[in-house]
Amino acid sequence: ALARAAAFVSPSREEGWGIAVSEALEAGTEVVCFDLPVYREVHPSERLHLVPTGDVAAFAQTLVEVLRGEAPPRNATAPDGADARRPRTWEQIAASELLIMGAVMPGRP
């Protein structure tokens, strides 16, 4: 369903990870969302259209541009696939999280 969508809209003003945004991007869908730090950090993609947080008019305008195929990428921090270290599957994400937890909590089961 995500791969067939014209766009994915995420009007959230707070996110810890942005799993839904990640799933939409992995499906190849254009995403319109507010410019939250996690999206730049975790989800670099040319299909990610970031809008100033809280700017509803800009959000709506960006969505219209995306649907018309007129929107330039709003987040060009890295082209898709540029960071091969970025986890892309649930197994890779879980393994990455386990490594991080092991580093911050050594010796804990």
Side-chain angles (χ1 to χ4, degrees):
L2 286 171
R4 292 188 314 267
F8 182 82
V9 177
S10 180
S12 178
R13 294 177 188 226
E14 289 184 17
E15 285 290 341
W17 178 264
I19 291 173
V21 166
S22 178
E23 290 172 341
L25 290 170
E26 288 298 319
T29 305
E30 301 288 322
V31 174
V32 178
C33 57
F34 286 127
D35 190 357
L36 304 179
V38 70
Y39 296 147
R40 289 183 183 275
E41 188 176 321
V42 177
H43 309 297
S45 173
E46 292 179 347
R47 292 185 312 275
L48 185 63
H49 302 272
L50 300 172
V51 179
T53 303
D55 190 340
V56 176
F59 195 98
Q61 180 61 39
T62 300
L63 178 57
V64 168
E65 291 170 1
V66 166
L67 293 174
R68 289 181 177 161
E70 301 169 350
R74 299 290 173 122
N75 178 32
T77 58
D80 289 336
D83 187 353
R85 296 169 300 173
R86 184 170 59 105
R88 304 188 63 84
T89 67
W90 288 117
E91 290 80 13
Q92 291 171 326
I93 291 168
S96 177
E97 292 288 323
L98 186 59
L99 287 174
I100 292 168
M101 285 190 278
V104 298
M105 299 173 55
R108 309 251 342 230

